[in-house]
């Protein structure tokens, strides 16, 4: 469900031009952060996807390093950057909405809750940010995930011998998915994707705000860009660990296409656990950490630095 992300303020605090300026700065800063971060770290995301989607009884990749070498040998370096066009096109939009919506949600909710309950407001604002960005983010993730597979959704069966020719580009992927699966194909695994992304965002912002608050209290100054990257990395690590099981389920639902191996979140989880055991829940957790830690660190660092620049503040 899409919600327009306008700043909401209490009735006793009129919306000023400064509020609009701040919203615009958050939007632009988020866009810059998304474009930089997602394009740089796309190879890690590609490997994370392929390792998690393959079945345990017919694995093509035995580990992170083996996956990296195999993809480069068979597909070249470009194989690690599947979906780059979609990423460069959509990441600025998705992340811009994401950060702007978070700041709106945070400023609104923290004005109503007691200070000791601020982590709840931060979690809710993180979930709200994902809800706002999901309308554009989830279709772009579906397209990117399909292109990162190096093959059309038949790969979701886990049998690497059944790969078919991949989409030639973003627009070919969109037209092919809509033609064969309808508009709903662009929102494959929507419920699962929204659940994991909202949970991840909620936990990530809770950890980030808490760590930043502790830093300011101890150092008596705002974090530098390097410190912000470190704080964001730690926050992302904590959120990644807590949400990895949902990530496994989400990726399998997103790439299955018309195969329909799974009817939904619970069916995917039950069937996968029955076939592969409890260890499935932490499948690909190492590569997820390798991707998420620098992703959140760089993203927060670029976001805060860009916002400071746009607000006329010095960048430390």
């Amino acid at each position: 469900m899409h919600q327009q992300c306008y700043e909401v303020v209490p009735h006793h605090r009129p919306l000023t031009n400064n509020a609009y300026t701040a919203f615009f700065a958050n939007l632009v800063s988020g866009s810059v952060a998304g474009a930089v971060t997602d394009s740089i770290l796309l190879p890690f995301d590609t490997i994370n996807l392929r390792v998690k989607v393959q079945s345990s009884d017919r694995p093509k990749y035995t580990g992170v390093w083996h996956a990296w070498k195999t993809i480069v040998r068979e597909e070249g370096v470009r194989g690690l950057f599947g979906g780059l066009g979609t990423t460069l096109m959509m990441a600025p939009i998705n992340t811009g909405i994401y950060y702007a919506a978070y700041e709106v949600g945070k400023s609104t909710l923290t004005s109503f809750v007691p200070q000791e309950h601020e982590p709840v407001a931060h979690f809710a604002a993180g979930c709200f940010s994902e809800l706002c960005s999901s309308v554009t983010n989830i279709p772009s993730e579906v397209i990117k995930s399909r292109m990162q597979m190096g093959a059309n959704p038949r790969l979701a069966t886990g049998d690497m011998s059944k790969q078919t020719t991949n989409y030639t580009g973003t627009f070919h992927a969109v037209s092919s998915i809509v033609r064969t699966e309808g508009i709903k194909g662009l929102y494959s695994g929507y419920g699962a994707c929204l659940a994991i992304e909202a949970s991840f965002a909620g936990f990530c912002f809770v950890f980030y705000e808490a760590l930043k608050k502790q830093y300011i209290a101890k150092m008596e100054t705002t974090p530098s860009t390097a410190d912000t990257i470190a704080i964001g990395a730690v926050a992302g690590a904590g959120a990644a660990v807590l949400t990895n099981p949902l990530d496994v389920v989400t990726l399998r639902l997103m790439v299955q296409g018309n195969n329909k191996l799974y009817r939904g979140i619970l069916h995917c989880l039950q069937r996968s656990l029955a076939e592969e055991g409890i260890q499935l829940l932490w499948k690909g957790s190492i590569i997820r950490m390798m991707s998420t830690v620098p992703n959140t660190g760089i993203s927060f660092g670029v976001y805060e630095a860009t916002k400071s620049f746009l607000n006329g503040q010095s960048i430390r």
Side-chain angles (χ1 to χ4, degrees), residues 125-171:
C127 293
F128 174 70
S129 71
E130 280 297 339
L131 179 63
C132 288
S133 63
S134 66
V135 173
T136 58
N137 182 50
I138 291 180
S140 63
E141 283 296 313
V142 169
I143 296 167
K144 184 184 73 172
S145 296
R146 301 276 184 93
M147 297 182 73
Q148 284 176 306
M149 295 295 289
N152 282 336
R154 216 179 275 182
L155 182 59
T157 61
D159 185 352
M160 299 298 175
S161 67
K162 294 183 178 180
Q163 292 187 19
T164 58
T165 303
N166 195 15
Y167 308 115
T168 58
T170 301
F171 293 107

Side-chain angles (χ1 to χ4, degrees), residues 49-83:
L49 170 70
R50 295 207 191 180
V51 169
K52 285 183 175 175
V53 169
Q54 65 179 356
S55 65
S56 296
D57 59 336
R58 294 188 302 267
K60 179 172 182 178
Y61 311 114
T62 59
V64 173
W65 180 237
H66 180 251
W68 192 287
K69 291 191 298 182
T70 302
I71 293 171
V72 172
R73 184 180 67 250
E74 294 181 351
E75 306 168 42
V77 175
R78 64 180 300 175
L80 296 171
F81 288 88

Side-chain angles (χ1 to χ4, degrees), residues 8-10 12-13 104-114 118 121:
V8 181
V9 295
H12 58 273
R13 202 177 79 200
V104 169
K106 180 179 116 174
S107 63
T108 302
L109 293 173
T110 53
S111 67
F112 290 106
V113 302
E118 280 190 350

Side-chain angles (χ1 to χ4, degrees), residues 11-314:
H11 66 278
H12 58 273
R13 202 177 79 200
L15 187 64
T16 65
N17 288 333
N18 287 336
Y20 285 115
T21 301
F23 180 84
F24 177 75
N26 295 333
L27 189 67
V28 173
S29 300
S31 298
V32 174
V36 172
T37 306
D38 288 6
S39 56
I40 291 176
L41 299 173
L42 187 60
F44 294 98
D45 191 45
T46 298
I47 295 172
N48 174 53
L49 170 70
R50 295 207 191 180
V51 169
K52 285 183 175 175
V53 169
Q54 65 179 356
S55 65
S56 296
D57 59 336
R58 294 188 302 267
K60 179 172 182 178
Y61 311 114
T62 59
V64 173
W65 180 237
H66 180 251
W68 192 287
K69 291 191 298 182
T70 302
I71 293 171
V72 172
R73 184 180 67 250
E74 294 181 351
E75 306 168 42
V77 175
R78 64 180 300 175
L80 296 171
F81 288 88
L84 179 60
T86 303
T87 297
L88 292 175
M89 185 186 307
M90 297 304 299
I93 298 173
N94 300 334
T95 315
I97 295 174
Y98 175 81
Y99 276 111
Y102 172 73
E103 296 289 359
V104 169
K106 180 179 116 174
S107 63
T108 302
L109 293 173
T110 53
S111 67
F112 290 106
V113 302
Q115 187 173 2
E116 63 269 20
H117 294 155
E118 280 190 350
V120 176
H122 296 153
F123 185 89
C127 293
F128 174 70
S129 71
E130 280 297 339
L131 179 63
C132 288
S133 63
S134 66
V135 173
T136 58
N137 182 50
I138 291 180
S140 63
E141 283 296 313
V142 169
I143 296 167
K144 184 184 73 172
S145 296
R146 301 276 184 93
M147 297 182 73
Q148 284 176 306
M149 295 295 289
N152 282 336
R154 216 179 275 182
L155 182 59
T157 61
D159 185 352
M160 299 298 175
S161 67
K162 294 183 178 180
Q163 292 187 19
T164 58
T165 303
N166 195 15
Y167 308 115
T168 58
T170 301
F171 293 107
H172 178 232
V174 172
S175 61
S176 297
I177 292 171
V178 172
R179 185 177 64 255
T180 58
E181 304 171 45
I183 295 294
K184 65 180 182 180
L186 294 174
Y187 289 88
S188 299
Y190 179 83
C193 190
L194 185 58
I196 182 177
E197 295 298 343
S199 300
F200 177 85
F203 285 122
C204 191
F205 278 116
V206 167
F207 295 149
Y208 177 74
E209 296 287 1
L211 291 169
K212 187 168 72 170
K213 184 177 182 179
Q214 289 182 2
Y215 179 98
I216 294 174
K218 184 176 181 179
M219 305 300 292
E220 298 182 350
T221 184
T222 56
S224 65
T225 299
D227 293 326
T228 300
I229 291 175
I231 292 172
V234 174
V241 170
L242 291 175
T243 58
N244 192 76
L246 269 175
D247 188 49
V248 175
V249 173
T250 299
L251 292 175
R252 293 189 173 199
L253 288 170
M254 289 177 71
V255 302
Q256 68 176 340
N258 279 326
N259 293 313
K260 300 306 175 189
L261 297 175
Y262 315 111
R263 295 191 297 271
I265 300 175
L266 289 179
H267 180 249
C268 179
L269 181 61
Q270 291 170 348
R271 177 170 175 174
S272 297
L273 285 173
E275 294 176 352
E276 304 174 48
I278 192 69
Q279 66 271 16
L280 163 80
L281 298 180
W282 308 110
K283 189 173 187 177
S285 57
I286 294 178
I287 185 60
R288 176 168 164 78
M289 292 282 287
M290 290 173 63
S291 172
T292 302
V293 168
N295 188 306
T296 53
I298 296 172
S299 182
F300 275 118
V302 173
Y303 171 71
E304 296 287 7
T306 304
K307 188 167 66 170
S308 295
F309 174 77
L310 292 176
N311 289 332
Q313 301 169 352
S314 60

